């Protein structure tokens, strides 16, 4: 395959001669080299001969479907963006193509201004991709503290964000509150070709329903009482960049209809205006709700769901990536203080044993509060104030079957161990204290049997290593 010429080269695939000619003339006037093909066979031959900055293909071809070419280019020429030309009103075809890996789409009759924007965006994406390949360390350093960590889940999230940044397809980000959905959307924008343009985040649940249309699409002077001047909406403010619709499930149904049209037509009409205006916006949505269930319950339009849910990015909750706690905490502390502040080992263990219902946002709040209480630049367990919602706030219990076996077993005399620790006490008694004594004794026995190998002891007790380490410290067991 030959190297790309000094001018970026574009491949146009369409069986309509007059449309091919129009596209060729438009692209040549943009200073680009253009090859054309009237069918799939010729397009495949051209791809073997040249490297292309963009492939632009019609969906209907004499010897097959443009979807075949989308899949082939996405698989065999991963660094080559491919865009599709869809028939008027065939938004479903565009969605299918985007899901298959298409960079973007343009509808017939082809609007030349939209075509030029698409081509420029593809060329910018190529440049950004080259920069990232030349300096991968720089790319890795752009991820904010919410998205760092070496757990498998976060590695997959970062890889997917890098891929999503090379596409213009709509993305929906799912995850629990506090998991970093807006920050993930910002990362997609920051490392994309749209990074120089605005990123506008909108909380759909915070806008009064009677103001939604004006807020999203803008309004003309005098359109309603209080409209003293013309004003742009969110779409105009994000033109050329990214519009994030946070908590999109909270949109009322009437607004969902208008939003669907704006996304499909890529045009909006201000309140009080008589004409529509073109907008170039990439849509990223986010929600902590299950949109599929919202569709089933009639609270969310199926056609809008299908349009927004082209690619899904799921952010795992913090409790599923506790191995990232140390790295996350270090990054957050550095961001909050700008100086080195340490955490004691018991404090770290306490964080690892916490289930974080508020996810990374809660971790940041906990550490920010702990900084204020910490003495001598070291955060201790008490500074974290985790009481009440810790996973292990209640006495740590062995599995019921194990406890039953222990309580009903005969006392065993081991050197240094009391013989009656498992004997049920007379009532009334302190159940937490009794269970702590049982737990302490079982941990001691496991450690003795494994010669203080905590990993093996944890296996004997049927608990995780982190749980065992936390309980050793909590119960003040001397090894």
């Amino acid at each position: 395959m030959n190297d790309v010429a000094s001018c970026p080269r574009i491949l146009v695939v369409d069986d309509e001669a007059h449309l091919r000619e129009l596209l060729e003339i438009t692209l040549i006037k943009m200073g680009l080299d253009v090859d054309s093909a009237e069918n799939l066979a010729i397009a495949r031959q051209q791809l073997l001969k040249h490297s292309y900055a963009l492939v632009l293909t019609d969906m209907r071809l004499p010897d097959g479907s443009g979807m075949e070419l989308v899949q082939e280019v996405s698989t065999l020429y991963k660094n080559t963006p491919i865009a599709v030309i869809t028939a008027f009103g065939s938004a479903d075809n565009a969605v299918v193509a985007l899901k298959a890996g298409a960079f973007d789409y343009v509808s017939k009759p082809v609007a030349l201004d939209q075509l030029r924007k698409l081509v420029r965006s593809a060329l910018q994406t190529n440049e950004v991709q080259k920069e990232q390949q030349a300096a991968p360390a720089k790319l890795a350093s752009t991820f904010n503290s919410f998205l760092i960590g070496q757990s498998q889940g976060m590695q997959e999230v970062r890889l997917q964000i890098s891929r999503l940044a090379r596409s213009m397809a709509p993305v929906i980000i799912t995850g629990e509150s506090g998991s970093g959905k807006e920050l993930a959307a910002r990362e997609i924008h920051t490392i994309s070709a749209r990074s120089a343009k605005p990123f506008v985040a909108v909380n759909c649940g915070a806008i009064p329903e009677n103001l939604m249309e004006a807020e999203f699409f803008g309004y003309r002077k005098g359109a309603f009482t209080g409209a003293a001047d013309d004003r742009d909406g969110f779409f105009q403010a994000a033109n050329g960049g990214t519009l994030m619709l946070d908590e999109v499930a909270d949109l009322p149904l009437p607004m969902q209809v208008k939003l669907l049209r704006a996304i499909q037509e890529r045009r909006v009409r201000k309140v009080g205006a008589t004409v529509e205006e073109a907008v170039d916006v990439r849509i990223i949505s986010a929600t902590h709700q299950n949109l599929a269930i919202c569709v089933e319950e009639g609270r969310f339009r199926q056609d809008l769901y299908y349009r927004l849910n082209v690619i899904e990015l799921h952010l795992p909750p913090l409790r599923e990536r506790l191995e990232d706690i140390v790295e996350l905490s270090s990054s957050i502390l550095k961001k909050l203080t700008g100086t080195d502040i340490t955490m004691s080992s018991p404090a770290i263990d306490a964080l690892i044993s916490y289930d974080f219902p508020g996810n990374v946002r809660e971790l940041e709040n906990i550490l920010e509060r702990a900084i204020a209480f910490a003495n001598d630049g070291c955060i201790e367990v008490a500074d974290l104030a985790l009481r009440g919602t810790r996973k292990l706030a209640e006495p740590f219990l062995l599995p019921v079957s194990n406890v039953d076996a222990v309580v009903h077993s005969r006392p065993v005399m081991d050197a240094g161990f009391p013989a009656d620790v498992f004997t049920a006490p007379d009532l009334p008694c302190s159940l937490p204290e009794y269970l702590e004594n049982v737990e302490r004794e079982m941990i001691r026995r496991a450690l003795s049997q494994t010669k203080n190998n905590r990993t093996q002891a944890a296996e004997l007790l049927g608990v995780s290593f982190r749980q065992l380490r936390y309980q050793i410290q909590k119960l003040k067991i001397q090894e």
Side-chain angles (χ1 to χ4, degrees), residues 175-347:
E176 297 179 3
S177 295
S179 57
K181 296 187 289 295
E182 181 177 338
L183 293 172
R186 287 185 182 274
E187 293 297 341
I188 295 172
H189 173 80
T190 299
I191 62 176
S192 75
R194 293 177 174 260
S195 59
K197 298 295 184 178
F199 174 90
V200 178
V202 180
N203 187 331
C204 298
I207 306 172
E209 184 172 350
N210 61 332
L211 296 179
M212 275 196 169
E213 186 175 1
E215 291 292 329
F216 273 91
F217 307 137
Y219 53 83
R220 292 293 188 192
K221 179 180 179 180
F224 50 83
T225 303
D229 298 290
D230 288 357
R231 180 178 172 182
D232 288 340
F234 299 134
F235 273 85
Q236 293 92 343
N239 196 27
T242 304
L243 177 61
M244 182 197 176
L245 305 177
D246 197 8
E247 298 304 340
V248 69
D250 292 336
L251 282 173
L253 288 170
M255 189 60 204
Q256 292 179 28
V257 178
K258 296 170 183 176
L259 179 62
L260 175 64
R261 174 175 172 78
I263 294 173
Q264 290 184 166
E265 303 300 326
R266 300 186 179 186
R267 306 183 72 84
V268 298
R269 179 164 55 201
K270 291 183 175 181
V271 177
T274 57
V275 296
E276 293 181 329
E277 55 185 289
V279 288
D280 173 26
V281 170
R282 184 184 189 183
I283 300 292
I284 298 180
S285 307
T287 180
H288 71 279
Q289 299 187 50
N290 188 321
L291 276 187
I293 293 178
C294 293
V295 171
E296 292 177 3
E297 294 176 349
R299 295 187 289 116
F300 202 84
R301 291 182 61 93
Q302 185 175 31
D303 46 8
L304 180 58
Y305 168 72
Y306 185 57
R307 200 67 186 79
L308 295 176
N309 192 27
V310 175
I311 304 174
E312 180 179 351
L313 173 65
H314 178 70
L315 300 184
L318 185 53
R319 63 181 173 276
E320 292 181 5
R321 57 185 188 102
L322 291 175
E323 58 265 48
D324 295 335
I325 288 289
V326 174
E327 187 176 356
L328 274 168
S329 299
S330 176
S331 176
I332 292 171
L333 289 172
K334 186 174 181 181
K335 182 184 72 172
L336 291 173
T337 65
T339 58
D340 291 333
I341 185 168
T342 60
M343 295 179 63
S344 68
S345 294

Side-chain angles (χ1 to χ4, degrees), residues 1-20:
M1 186 181 292
N2 298 329
D3 292 332
V4 178
S6 56
C7 290
R9 186 183 291 269
I10 311 294
L11 175 60
V12 176
V13 187
D14 200 297
D15 63 332
E16 297 180 36
H18 69 281
L19 181 55
R20 283 203 313 273

Side-chain angles (χ1 to χ4, degrees), residues 393-456:
E394 299 173 0
F396 171 76
L397 300 179
L398 293 168
V400 173
S401 58
N402 291 352
V403 173
D404 186 71
V406 167
V407 171
H408 291 89
S409 64
R410 287 188 304 141
V412 179
M413 290 295 293
D414 285 337
F417 298 133
D420 61 349
V421 66
F422 302 128
T423 302
D426 294 331
L427 298 176
C429 72
S430 171
L431 180 60
E433 183 178 346
Y434 167 67
L435 291 174
E436 278 193 1
N437 289 334
V438 171
E439 180 186 353
R440 183 181 291 107
E441 185 64 19
M442 287 302 298
I443 291 175
R444 282 175 175 165
R445 287 172 181 251
L447 290 171
S448 175
Q449 183 173 327
T450 60
K451 297 180 180 179
N452 288 331
N453 185 314
R454 292 188 179 188
T455 301
Q456 293 179 10

Side-chain angles (χ1 to χ4, degrees), residues 54-273:
L54 173 68
V55 177
L56 184 62
T57 182
D58 194 7
M59 289 290 281
R60 293 184 178 182
L61 297 168
D63 55 347
S65 167
M67 280 298 301
E68 296 179 47
L69 195 60
V70 169
Q71 292 167 347
E72 290 177 21
V73 170
S74 299
T75 302
L76 302 175
Y77 310 95
K78 293 183 178 180
N79 293 329
T80 301
I82 179 168
V84 297
I85 304 171
T86 63
F88 177 76
S90 299
D92 289 352
N93 288 338
V95 172
V96 172
L98 291 170
K99 284 181 178 290
F103 168 78
D104 207 345
Y105 73 95
V106 62
S107 301
K108 291 181 179 179
V110 177
L112 296 182
D113 58 338
Q114 287 190 3
L115 174 66
R116 294 187 190 99
K117 290 177 182 177
L118 184 153
V119 172
R120 292 191 191 101
S121 183
L123 297 180
Q124 290 170 359
T125 298
N126 289 336
E127 291 301 316
V128 170
Q129 188 171 331
K130 289 177 183 177
E131 293 175 2
Q132 292 173 357
Q133 290 174 344
K138 182 178 179 182
L139 170 62
S141 67
T142 66
F143 288 104
N144 59 62
S145 59
F146 273 44
L147 301 173
I148 66 172
Q150 299 309 311
S151 63
Q152 183 178 353
M154 289 314 297
Q155 290 185 45
E156 292 174 356
V157 165
R158 290 195 296 271
L159 179 60
Q160 194 171 0
I161 285 176
S162 299
R163 291 172 178 166
L164 292 174
R166 299 196 294 265
S167 169
M168 293 299 108
V171 178
I172 187 160
I173 304 176
T174 59
E176 297 179 3
S177 295
S179 57
K181 296 187 289 295
E182 181 177 338
L183 293 172
R186 287 185 182 274
E187 293 297 341
I188 295 172
H189 173 80
T190 299
I191 62 176
S192 75
R194 293 177 174 260
S195 59
K197 298 295 184 178
F199 174 90
V200 178
V202 180
N203 187 331
C204 298
I207 306 172
E209 184 172 350
N210 61 332
L211 296 179
M212 275 196 169
E213 186 175 1
E215 291 292 329
F216 273 91
F217 307 137
Y219 53 83
R220 292 293 188 192
K221 179 180 179 180
F224 50 83
T225 303
D229 298 290
D230 288 357
R231 180 178 172 182
D232 288 340
F234 299 134
F235 273 85
Q236 293 92 343
N239 196 27
T242 304
L243 177 61
M244 182 197 176
L245 305 177
D246 197 8
E247 298 304 340
V248 69
D250 292 336
L251 282 173
L253 288 170
M255 189 60 204
Q256 292 179 28
V257 178
K258 296 170 183 176
L259 179 62
L260 175 64
R261 174 175 172 78
I263 294 173
Q264 290 184 166
E265 303 300 326
R266 300 186 179 186
R267 306 183 72 84
V268 298
R269 179 164 55 201
K270 291 183 175 181
V271 177

